[in-house]
Amino acid sequence: MAHPFLSSLPSILSFVLFVFFVYPVILASPSAQATAPEAIVRARADVPSAWNGRPEDDVTGDSYSRTHFTPYYVPTGSVSLDDEDPLLTYTPDDAWATARHPALVGRSMHTTSQTGARVDLTFSGIGVEWFGSVSAKHGIAEVYLNDTLNTKVDAYHATWMKRQRLFGIDHLPFGSHRLSIVNTGKKRTKSGGTFIDIDAIVVNPADNSRKAITQRHLGIFGSLFAPPPHTEQPPQHAVVETNAVTSWSLSQSGETGVHAMQVSVISATQVIIIDKVEHNPLTINGHPAWGALYDVRTNKVRPLDMHSNSFCAGGSFLSNGSFINLGGNPVVGDKTGATDFGDVNGLQAVRLFHPDLCDEEGRGCDIVEAPHKLRLASPRWYNTVLRLDDGSAMILGGSTRGGWINNATTNNPTIEYFPPKNIHGFNGVPIPSLFLAETLNSNLFPIAFLLSDGRVFVAANQDAMIYDWKAHTERRLPKIPNGVRVTYPMTGTAVLLPLSSTNNFASIVLICGGSTIDDTRAGYEIDSQEAASSQCVRMELSDAGIERGWEVEQMPQARVMPDSVLLPTGDVVILNGAGTGIAGYGNVKDQIGFSNADHPVLTPVIYRPSEQSGSRFTSEGLPTSNIARVYHSVATLVPDGRIMIAGSNPNLDRSSAQYETEYRVEWLEPRWMNDDETRPKANISVTGMPYGSTFTITVNLNGGGSNNIKIALMDLGFVTHSLHMNGRLVYLDFKHEGSSLSTLTVQAPPNPSIYPPGPGWIYVVVDDKWTVASPVMVGDGSDPPEDLGALESMLANSSVDEASGKTVTGVGEGQESARG
Ligand SMILES: *[C@@H]1O[C@H](CO)[C@@H](O)[C@H](O)[C@H]1NC(C)=O
Ligand SMILES: *[C@@H]1O[C@H](CO)[C@@H](O)[C@H](O)[C@H]1NC(C)=O
Ligand SMILES: *[C@@H]1O[C@H](CO)[C@@H](O)[C@H](O)[C@H]1NC(C)=O
Ligand SMILES: *[C@@H]1O[C@H](CO)[C@@H](O)[C@H](O)[C@H]1NC(C)=O
Ligand SMILES: *[C@@H]1O[C@H](CO)[C@@H](O)[C@H](O)[C@H]1NC(C)=O
């Protein structure tokens, strides 16, 4: 009987021949691969080249090496083992051949087509990724961890692609794990072979093991980034079990695939996730994705094919239900450039998304960009977007380029509208704001709320004002007390407390956290260990309230970059953030990895606005997480009533060193929510909700007291950088229908200043327990006012990419002192 290897020898030979001779030809042929850079550029041919912020030809210029994107990427803090590393054991030895080619990791890979051929690696750490190639001659492998089957990987692909990520797992319990990859000898019918390749294995070691592995490999593979030693990293375990007496539970399930810098609920099942351009593990059309739809029921993610760099964009819904994501960053040339990603300058981007096109699984919809007709009048990085009472969006402030803390050179102290308006003599062009000019330096991502009288509250740095957008007047408010700065990078969080007819829809704002660090100090003078602020301030925005001024309270813990999630009960869950330092990365001295902040605050606290001052905070029954949520973290209420917690990435690109790029999702929910017997239920058949109209709902009180019912109409907002843009809760008036205690006649909001026209969610609250939410369209669902003259004037008076004119070569944020 022939030796099994001998029988497979011819095919291995043909494979090696293929790698050597045919593969380079394929690489050079633009039509052969959908993922070749040429193809990416062609697919974008409808985009005017100026939108790239540089001539197309620059792609071949000096700062770009025109290499083809492959998903092989080694995050900071991880270690790549080449296929020839002695830690990898190949059996049987003679079933494996080595292919050599300059395009492979370490110029080589191991390959086999033999059934049962395996590679084993015992590694110490918490994560591992397998990279190899795929082709029309590849078959199916099984991946085992500690001899337990984890998954099967089908390496078939119609075209040849190298350095593909075939398997990845992270956040294993820290310890020693055995990874085994076994060739099953099986293949899908159309595959011409059963090849399986090992090009590299990337290991994510936990801190204590990292030193050993890096020392071992420094000599062989050159420079490896060794992060500064730091002891306060939270333990690396995925699930937090809270004890039975607590009233909330926190669990970890799901990963976002793209880092969750920005999130917004777009349907009962889907949350849109928007990141900056970086090496996320989720890919689409041959490049890493930086947008995705996350299914809250199944924890599955679907990548979105975004075009422009959405780093630090703002967002909102419009009155017709469309979602917009505005502004961003230029192409970041030397790190996450167009060559790998095919991205274009996002500083003036309008990214339009129609949630109505998505099915329940989030299919059928994607982000639309058409800069020749849809763009901002001026470049904006860190701009705030607010839906107004006419259903359009106001766009406030931002920087004219990526950077860090704002200054007079980079400031964009203007307001514009989407769609553009001809207003106050500014025909679609940006309208200057004295307030935004005078609040430097720490004034990015200004806090803004539409007040119940149609005017707009704005806070930036230590200042606040009411902007009457219809009259173009600014009314200054008392400064935030005690020198606390509340906007980026001294980031605090803010909520408009619930609006209700019981106090004639009084608008009361609450702002929590931030920092007193002097915003004129240079980054290198600021320390990651300087304490954040624990201050919360609140003020009623009526003449009498403004006269009384800010009411000052203290949170139990100081927090910079907290998130505030309004519950249907009117309570506010404050979570995430850090106890010291400031927002951003790569700027301050004593950085933790790249993080400007340290001491993540791991326990949420609830603010109860209806209690007396001094007893409004409680952490009773709230579990403590072990996942740090520092810069670029988010949290949002979702329609099923839970709080989704995601993100954290104080890094230039995906990193597995402290503080790592975090993809894990946590869910915070009151324990009663899983008790079907006691959770109230409601039937809400209304979908459109004209102002002043009435509608009927039926409620299953589930034993709850019928005297303690509230109907909460909520905008779940657009969440990024501690801002919950458009976050809003309006309690709707209702009365019982006839003698039935569970049939209610509900009054829609009286006018568009109380709740601006656009999508919302209705939760019925019975005895402080809330139902699953039902979607409604407040207003008539029509488009926001469109002024074609203002649009023409905006297009005539602006060009795309007004600020930079070209690709920024650098790191986007944190250029002053970025390392690595
Ligand atoms: C594999 O076994 C080791 C030692 O028993 C253990 O520490 C580790 O957690 C296991 N890994 C997995 C993925 O089960
Ligand atoms: C303003 O900020 C930009 C971007 O961070 C920086 O390049 C520039 O030097 C700063 N200008 C001044 C005057 O500080
Ligand atoms: C809601 O409607 C469904 C189907 O019509 C019905 O089975 C259920 O009892 C209703 N629930 C309430 C609270 O009225
Ligand atoms: C909603 O309005 C915006 C702004 O006018 C428009 O661009 C968008 O296409 C509209 N959405 C739909 C679904 O028509
Ligand atoms: C914008 O451009 C138009 C020409 O299309 C011009 O008439 C108008 O004055 C410009 N507006 C501003 C504010 O510059």
Side-chain angles (χ1 to χ4, degrees):
M1 206 175 106
H3 190 282
F5 175 60
L6 292 181
S7 65
S8 65
L9 200 54
S11 50
I12 286 185
L13 278 178
S14 72
F15 169 83
V16 172
L17 286 174
F18 189 89
V19 169
F20 277 113
F21 301 107
V22 186
Y23 187 42
V25 176
I26 286 183
L27 256 189
S29 152
S31 60
Q33 283 191 51
T35 52
E38 291 85 350
I40 291 171
V41 171
R42 251 205 325 279
R44 304 276 189 274
D46 52 329
V47 178
S49 61
W51 182 245
N52 281 331
R54 62 192 152 71
E56 278 304 318
D57 298 349
D58 262 32
V59 175
T60 52
D62 23 349
S63 65
Y64 289 88
S65 58
R66 201 183 177 96
T67 52
H68 164 55
F69 168 73
T70 65
Y72 174 73
Y73 170 74
V74 187
T76 304
S78 287
V79 177
S80 178
L81 304 178
D82 185 52
D83 67 297
E84 297 192 289
D85 193 290
L87 285 177
L88 300 172
T89 311
Y90 297 92
T91 43
D93 193 34
D94 59 2
W96 291 87
T98 303
R100 299 191 186 280
H101 187 274
L104 297 167
V105 178
R107 306 171 70 91
S108 68
M109 70 180 180
H110 271 62
T111 181
T112 184
S113 64
Q114 189 179 309
T115 306
R118 61 189 288 152
V119 60
D120 294 278
L121 165 70
T122 300
F123 67 93
S124 178
I126 60 167
V128 69
E129 292 174 274
W130 162 32
F131 292 89
S133 58
V134 295
S135 83
K137 291 190 171 185
H138 276 70
I140 297 169
E142 286 173 343
V143 179
Y144 294 83
L145 287 169
N146 284 4
D147 301 318
T148 303
L149 181 65
N150 183 280
T151 190
K152 290 188 182 192
V153 173
D154 184 354
Y156 173 85
H157 193 267
T159 55
W160 198 284
M161 297 197 292
K162 61 183 166 37
R163 297 168 166 238
Q164 298 299 304
R165 185 177 187 268
L166 296 169
F167 171 76
I169 192 166
D170 215 342
H171 302 292
L172 296 166
F174 172 70
S176 172
H177 310 276
R178 196 152 87 116
L179 169 77
S180 313
I181 300 166
V182 182
N183 192 338
T184 63
K186 298 198 176 88
K187 62 180 189 69
R188 68 169 80 181
T189 322
K190 56 177 158 179
S191 180
T194 58
F195 283 102
I196 291 297
D197 306 329
I198 311 294
D199 193 353
I201 305 286
V202 174
V203 173
N204 178 2
D207 271 343
N208 20 359
S209 68
R210 181 175 292 140
K211 234 175 268 150
I213 292 198
T214 52
Q215 274 162 10
R216 204 174 121 32
H217 285 279
L218 270 171
I220 310 174
F221 296 112
S223 67
L224 276 166
F225 176 75
H230 196 73
T231 49
E232 271 146 332
Q233 188 173 32
Q236 301 272 7
H237 294 289
V239 178
V240 181
E241 266 311 317
T242 54
N243 62 57
V245 298
T246 59
S247 54
W248 291 76
S249 77
L250 180 72
S251 60
Q252 193 278 312
S253 62
E255 299 211 1
T256 52
V258 306
H259 161 257
M261 177 191 290
Q262 308 160 33
V263 294
S264 192
V265 169
I266 58 131
S267 74
T269 59
Q270 306 293 319
V271 174
I272 193 168
I273 299 184
I274 298 174
D275 189 20
K276 66 177 189 262
V277 173
E278 64 182 321
H279 285 94
N280 289 309
L282 193 66
T283 59
I284 183 166
N285 294 340
H287 63 79
W290 61 97
L293 291 176
Y294 187 95
D295 191 318
V296 300
R297 304 161 307 173
T298 61
N299 296 321
K300 291 209 169 93
V301 281
R302 178 174 88 76
L304 293 172
D305 198 2
M306 312 253 296
H307 287 197
S308 59
N309 190 354
S310 47
F311 181 30
C312 301
S316 177
F317 289 92
L318 299 169
S319 57
N320 60 7
S322 289
F323 168 88
I324 48 171
N325 183 250
L326 306 179
N329 205 37
V331 176
V332 178
D334 60 353
K335 292 289 176 187
T336 51
T339 310
D340 273 3
F341 294 83
D343 65 316
V344 299
N345 189 338
L347 272 169
Q348 281 170 257
V350 172
R351 304 176 195 88
L352 194 58
F353 183 82
H354 306 301
D356 285 354
L357 296 179
C358 311
D359 67 11
E360 269 210 333
E361 269 70 48
R363 292 169 308 213
C365 44
D366 215 330
I367 296 252
V368 180
E369 294 187 60
H372 52 287
K373 55 182 178 184
L374 278 181
R375 63 170 182 254
L376 294 177
S378 58
R380 297 185 191 266
W381 181 76
Y382 281 81
N383 60 114
T384 296
V385 185
L386 185 68
R387 187 163 83 257
L388 296 173
D389 46 338
D390 71 352
S392 68
M394 170 187 270
I395 302 131
L396 298 104
S399 267
T400 55
R401 45 155 293 178
W404 179 49
I405 195 164
N406 206 2
N407 62 39
T409 316
T410 57
N411 198 17
N412 184 346
T414 67
I415 286 166
E416 61 182 282
Y417 297 92
F418 183 83
K421 292 185 192 301
N422 184 355
I423 190 170
H424 313 307
F426 298 89
N427 194 10
V429 299
I431 303 168
S433 162
L434 199 56
F435 178 85
L436 291 172
E438 290 178 352
T439 46
L440 288 170
N441 292 327
S442 173
N443 72 347
L444 290 176
F445 271 138
I447 291 164
F449 292 109
L450 176 69
L451 301 177
S452 58
D453 60 10
R455 295 181 301 167
V456 174
F457 169 84
V458 187
N461 207 342
Q462 298 173 295
D463 295 285
M465 70 154 177
I466 294 176
Y467 181 62
D468 185 337
W469 68 272
K470 287 160 192 156
H472 189 38
T473 54
E474 296 181 350
R475 174 181 178 178
R476 293 303 168 100
L477 297 169
K479 265 179 137 47
I480 312 284
N482 304 315
V484 178
R485 300 173 203 280
V486 296
T487 45
Y488 182 87
M490 317 299 177
T491 308
T493 189
V495 206
L496 178 67
L497 293 179
L499 299 173
S500 154
S501 65
T502 56
N503 62 359
N504 202 22
F505 299 105
S507 300
I508 304 170
V509 290
L510 173 75
I511 305 177
C512 293
S515 171
T516 52
I517 290 174
D518 179 356
D519 66 347
T520 60
R521 284 164 67 192
Y524 54 79
E525 289 173 351
I526 298 173
D527 198 294
S528 67
Q529 305 302 309
E530 291 181 56
S533 168
S534 59
Q535 177 172 281
C536 282
V537 293
R538 89 185 224 181
M539 185 159 64
E540 181 178 324
L541 296 168
S542 60
D543 287 340
I546 293 166
E547 184 72 26
R548 285 195 299 276
W550 293 104
E551 184 186 323
V552 177
E553 298 170 82
Q554 301 298 328
M555 297 184 281
Q557 304 97 351
R559 288 184 202 246
V560 63
M561 308 178 280
D563 272 290
S564 48
V565 178
L566 198 47
L567 297 176
T569 57
D571 290 346
V572 184
V573 180
I574 297 170
L575 71 172
N576 296 346
T580 64
I582 58 174
Y585 53 78
N587 311 106
V588 307
K589 65 181 176 192
D590 199 14
Q591 293 163 31
I592 312 304
F594 288 107
S595 173
N596 288 349
D598 196 11
H599 300 96
V601 189
L602 300 170
T603 310
V605 62
I606 292 185
Y607 179 84
R608 297 167 299 183
S610 52
E611 299 289 322
Q612 287 306 304
S613 177
S615 49
R616 288 182 180 139
F617 290 102
T618 178
S619 283
E620 208 182 308
L622 282 161
T624 297
S625 176
N626 49 23
I627 299 178
R629 304 283 183 185
V630 289
Y631 187 45
H632 289 152
S633 300
V634 292
T636 183
L637 189 70
V638 298
D640 67 25
R642 295 176 296 165
I643 294 174
M644 176 182 182
I645 305 166
S648 189
N649 186 22
N651 299 291
L652 154 65
D653 199 345
R654 179 180 150 215
S655 169
S656 56
Q658 192 181 17
Y659 288 103
E660 69 186 286
T661 306
E662 187 56 69
Y663 295 97
R664 288 173 294 176
V665 181
E666 287 171 293
W667 303 92
L668 180 65
E669 62 188 305
R671 288 191 177 270
W672 54 256
M673 205 168 267
N674 284 314
D675 182 358
D676 209 45
E677 301 285 294
T678 61
R679 188 173 188 186
K681 292 173 192 63
N683 276 347
I684 302 173
S685 55
V686 63
T687 48
M689 198 193 273
Y691 293 100
S693 65
T694 56
F695 58 98
T696 302
I697 66 176
T698 56
V699 183
N700 177 348
L701 300 173
N702 247 340
S706 58
N707 289 328
N708 192 7
I709 298 179
K710 293 192 265 194
I711 317 269
L713 168 64
M714 298 188 72
D715 189 324
L716 302 177
F718 172 89
V719 185
T720 191
H721 290 78
S722 301
L723 283 192
H724 293 238
M725 299 177 193
N726 300 300
R728 199 172 195 85
L729 193 172
V730 177
Y731 285 123
L732 301 180
D733 288 340
F734 66 93
K735 54 182 197 291
H736 294 289
E737 190 67 54
S739 59
S740 165
L741 292 176
S742 57
T743 304
L744 311 174
T745 305
V746 185
Q747 194 82 42
N751 65 61
S753 306
I754 306 293
Y755 192 100
W761 295 92
I762 295 181
Y763 298 84
V764 179
V765 186
V766 180
D767 286 341
D768 290 335
K769 295 174 179 163
W770 52 95
T771 59
V772 169
S774 299
V776 284
M777 177 58 82
V778 182
D780 61 8
S782 59
D783 289 348
E786 276 179 280
D787 181 330
L788 288 178
L791 176 63
E792 287 305 320
S793 166
M794 184 279 281
L795 293 172
N797 293 296
S798 70
S799 59
V800 288
D801 194 17
E802 298 223 311
S804 62
K806 61 162 99 79
T807 303
V808 176
T809 302
V811 298
E813 193 159 11
Q815 293 181 357
E816 291 176 33
S817 57
R819 328 174 232 142

